[in-house]
Amino acid sequence: MLSAAEEQLADKLGIEYVTLQPDRVVATMPVAGNRQPYGLLHGGANAALAETLGSIAAALNAGEGRIAVGLELSCTHHRAATEGKVTGVATPVHRGRSTSTYEIVVTDEKDRRTCTARLTCVLRDQPPGR
């Protein structure tokens, strides 16, 4: 049986982390392998990239013995990405004791915004045994 650490969606999507800092989390994701039937980057792949980056940022800010869990995600898809890689950048909008909100901007290789997302995470105590 696979452990949770071996079953990460980010791995399946090809997400590669560039920067992991409390005020800025950056990663890239290939368009190839993440397309919808019309050849465009799938909106769900954009959403998964956004939630991954925002959740990591929230976890980095949650504090010792705390975890971040996605509560609400909204995405606006501005333009299609059809090739290459997209880059997502998560920055804080609000960092509180019980919730954190991040804006995630996704751009194509020409630095054109393809998606803007906002993720709110609830911050909780880490479950025992994790």
Side-chain angles (χ1 to χ4, degrees):
M1 185 150 130
L2 294 174
S3 73
E6 297 175 71
E7 298 178 350
Q8 300 300 308
L9 179 61
D11 292 336
K12 292 180 184 352
L13 297 176
I15 294 173
E16 294 183 1
Y17 302 102
V18 176
T19 303
L20 296 169
Q21 299 173 343
D23 290 331
R24 184 176 167 87
V25 175
V26 181
T28 62
M29 181 178 68
V31 172
N34 295 312
R35 291 186 175 100
Q36 42 91 307
Y38 300 113
L40 312 175
L41 178 63
H42 195 290
N46 266 336
L49 175 62
E51 184 150 353
T52 298
L53 298 183
S55 293
I56 289 172
L60 289 172
N61 286 287
E64 187 71 28
R66 309 263 296 158
I67 63 169
V69 179
L71 182 64
E72 180 180 25
L73 175 67
S74 65
C75 300
T76 301
H77 306 287
H78 304 291
R79 75 171 41 240
T82 58
E83 61 186 10
K85 290 183 179 182
V86 293
T87 300
V89 179
T91 55
V93 173
H94 166 76
R95 289 184 286 195
R97 286 178 287 142
S98 60
T99 63
S100 291
T101 301
Y102 290 83
E103 178 184 59
I104 303 93
V105 175
V106 180
T107 57
D108 65 14
E109 290 181 325
K110 295 180 181 176
D111 204 31
R112 298 177 297 189
R113 188 179 292 224
T114 60
C115 178
T116 303
R118 190 179 85 164
L119 174 70
T120 298
C121 289
V122 63
L123 307 177
R124 302 175 41 178
D125 290 336
Q126 186 169 346
R130 291 277 177 174

